[in-house]
Amino acid sequence: MPDRLWRFLTIGPAVILFLGLTVLPMINLAVLSFHDIDWAQGLSSWTFTGVKHYVELRSDALFGDSIRNTLIFAMMAVTIQMVIGFALAVLTSSVVHGRLFYRTVFLLPILVPGIIIGAIWKLMFSFDFGILNTIVAAIGMTPQDWLGDANYALASIIVVDIWHWTPFCFLLLLASLETLPQDVYEAAAIDGASNWQSLRLITIPLMLPAIAVTFVFRLILAFKVFDEVFLLTGGGPGSSTEVVSFTIYRRFFTEDQPGYGSAMSIATFAFIALLIIVVTAATQRKGARP
């Protein structure tokens, strides 16, 4: 049997199945975005609306707020997670004794279920008896309504996400760090390079591909944030913590607008895809720069 035919028979069905499971839902979502759906006596009635839903997106103030909040949330949370994750990876890799203990401790937050995270942090952010306001009052400052004040609500959600997902960045960056060739560091040490010089001139340049992949992957996940917002603020106060996933959830499940929600989903998908392409191109260009 020819190699090409054998390769197709062994890999082809899996590829076709994967493409089908990936493409078909997107096609269904796109078709749905051009229709209004009404329900009567348990039956659905589809009405073709063309690009009406996409036109309405331009004047949807809530959708605009959710895009802005999601961008702020994703860029701030992921950037801080990358910095802390990289620092923890560098520090942990240099530890000789107790390395397994430190790695286990740093990974604990990512193992906690979302519903428990919501309960823990809601209690910590509580205005009346939360530990944060207890500390704030103890040092002579004024307690704040962290989740009920529009000035602090989004920042509070960002803090929770940083605590939850920094271990993800730490784990990927640590795995990459431990695969770096040690002979380069030995040569640098012989030449008299300091630890800071080795980090800046060897570690970071060699890890740029892993840093870029981790950043992009985490950025994609950050744009899908839902649990923290749903459990802690419900998008409020006002629209200060309204994010794209939560707005789409509103349209689909609380306002019964699946057509409009589908258009919102397609627009969000296109926006995220464009953003990821731009970020990936920028990181590759930086990595290729001498």
Side-chain angles (χ1 to χ4, degrees):
M1 183 180 294
D3 289 343
R4 290 185 178 180
L5 179 59
W6 172 252
R7 200 176 301 124
F8 174 77
L9 291 177
T10 53
I11 303 176
V15 173
I16 293 173
L17 178 62
F18 175 77
L19 290 176
L21 293 175
T22 304
V23 175
L24 285 179
M26 293 301 299
I27 293 176
N28 181 68
L29 196 66
V31 172
L32 192 59
S33 69
F34 294 108
H35 293 80
D36 272 333
I37 299 179
D38 297 315
W39 299 89
Q41 298 179 349
L43 299 176
S44 61
S45 172
W46 291 50
T47 304
F48 182 74
T49 59
V51 296
K52 170 191 170 186
H53 295 315
Y54 291 96
V55 173
E56 290 176 349
L57 285 177
R58 296 186 302 174
S59 58
D60 190 337
L62 187 63
F63 183 62
D65 289 344
S66 69
I67 289 289
R68 185 192 69 246
N69 291 338
T70 305
L71 277 172
I72 295 172
F73 170 87
M75 296 308 297
M76 290 190 64
V78 174
T79 300
I80 297 173
Q81 287 163 14
M82 291 293 297
V83 172
I84 298 176
F86 181 77
L88 291 177
V90 171
L91 292 173
T92 304
S93 66
S94 62
V95 172
V96 177
H97 303 291
R99 179 178 297 185
L100 180 61
F101 170 77
Y102 289 115
R103 294 184 183 185
T104 303
V105 170
F106 292 152
L107 290 175
L108 283 177
I110 205 173
L111 303 177
V112 181
I115 187 67
I116 297 178
I117 290 174
I120 291 173
W121 282 93
K122 194 145 193 173
L123 290 173
M124 291 180 65
F125 283 132
S126 172
F127 179 81
D128 297 315
F129 50 81
I131 188 172
L132 292 181
N133 274 341
T134 301
I135 296 173
V136 166
I139 61 178
M141 298 177 65
T142 304
Q144 303 293 333
D145 189 0
W146 302 104
L147 299 177
D149 189 328
N151 295 318
Y152 301 106
L154 185 60
S156 300
I157 298 294
I158 292 173
V159 169
V160 176
D161 195 75
I162 291 171
W163 177 85
H164 188 197
W165 286 104
T166 294
F168 176 84
C169 300
F170 161 73
L171 188 62
L172 294 186
L173 294 175
L174 179 64
S176 173
L177 185 61
E178 293 189 337
T179 63
L180 298 182
Q182 295 303 308
D183 54 343
V184 180
Y185 291 96
E186 294 171 0
I190 293 174
D191 291 337
S194 64
N195 291 336
W196 169 247
Q197 289 173 326
S198 296
L199 176 66
R200 184 170 57 89
L201 301 175
I202 299 175
T203 303
I204 294 178
L206 289 177
M207 287 189 63
L208 274 180
I211 291 173
V213 169
T214 304
F215 182 82
V216 171
F217 193 46
R218 183 66 198 102
L219 192 65
I220 294 172
L221 294 177
F223 267 93
K224 299 191 296 182
V225 61
F226 177 82
D227 293 355
E228 289 95 335
V229 174
F230 180 79
L231 294 169
L232 294 176
T233 63
S239 60
S240 60
T241 60
E242 190 80 23
V243 292
V244 171
S245 296
F246 195 75
T247 305
I248 294 174
Y249 164 80
R250 286 183 190 273
R251 300 300 189 233
F252 266 104
F253 299 106
T254 64
E255 299 175 6
D256 195 20
Q257 299 183 55
Y260 187 58
S262 298
M264 193 175 290
S265 301
I266 294 292
T268 303
F269 172 80
F271 177 78
I272 295 174
L274 179 61
L275 181 65
I276 296 303
I277 291 172
V278 171
V279 171
T280 303
T283 53
Q284 288 179 346
R285 193 179 301 116
K286 185 175 180 180
R289 195 176 296 167

